[in-house]
Amino acid sequence: SHLSADNLYKRIDGLYSDEIIKRYTNRHIGELPPHIYAIANEAYQALWKNGESQCVLISGESGAGKTESTKFILNFLSEMSKSRSETGTQSHVNEAILQ
């Protein structure tokens, strides 16, 4: 999968809200419009399905939004990890991210 992101140098309200996280959770790529949470969800689901490490490559020029994109992905993964923990399924996503 490939996602291009633009840094508009301004925040768009609601684009990265908890509601949007819920909307993209457990959905397949292409079911909803392109979004960084779709990429994060795909990596998260593959992690659990395949039991193998996953990688998301974020590249771009200085000021392109790489750091912000990384923060959005980590936020999504953190929310998914919390969700699994609350359902009684052991989660090591937070630990894996920190390694």
Side-chain angles (χ1 to χ4, degrees):
S1 299
H2 174 85
L3 175 71
S4 295
D6 293 320
N7 185 350
L8 304 175
Y9 299 104
K10 65 178 181 178
R11 188 157 301 284
I12 300 172
D13 291 334
L15 192 57
Y16 303 103
S17 66
D18 290 342
E19 177 61 32
I20 299 297
I21 289 175
K22 290 176 188 171
R23 191 177 305 162
Y24 280 85
T25 299
N26 296 323
R27 301 301 282 271
H28 295 288
I29 288 274
E31 281 187 48
L32 297 171
H35 197 286
I36 195 152
Y37 291 159
I39 300 294
N41 181 64
E42 192 74 12
Y44 184 79
Q45 296 304 323
L47 172 72
W48 285 102
K49 181 179 178 184
N50 302 332
E52 297 177 353
S53 296
Q54 299 297 305
C55 174
V56 175
L57 176 65
I58 301 173
S59 67
E61 295 182 9
S62 178
K66 298 178 299 295
T67 301
E68 290 302 310
S69 294
T70 301
K71 288 178 188 177
F72 292 132
I73 288 176
L74 292 176
N75 183 50
F76 184 92
L77 295 176
S78 177
E79 289 300 316
M80 294 300 93
S81 178
K82 285 184 212 173
S83 173
R84 273 201 181 257
S85 294
E86 289 169 2
T87 62
T89 305
Q90 182 135 4
S91 173
H92 299 289
V93 173
N94 288 341
E95 291 84 8
I97 290 171
L98 296 175
Q99 289 181 357

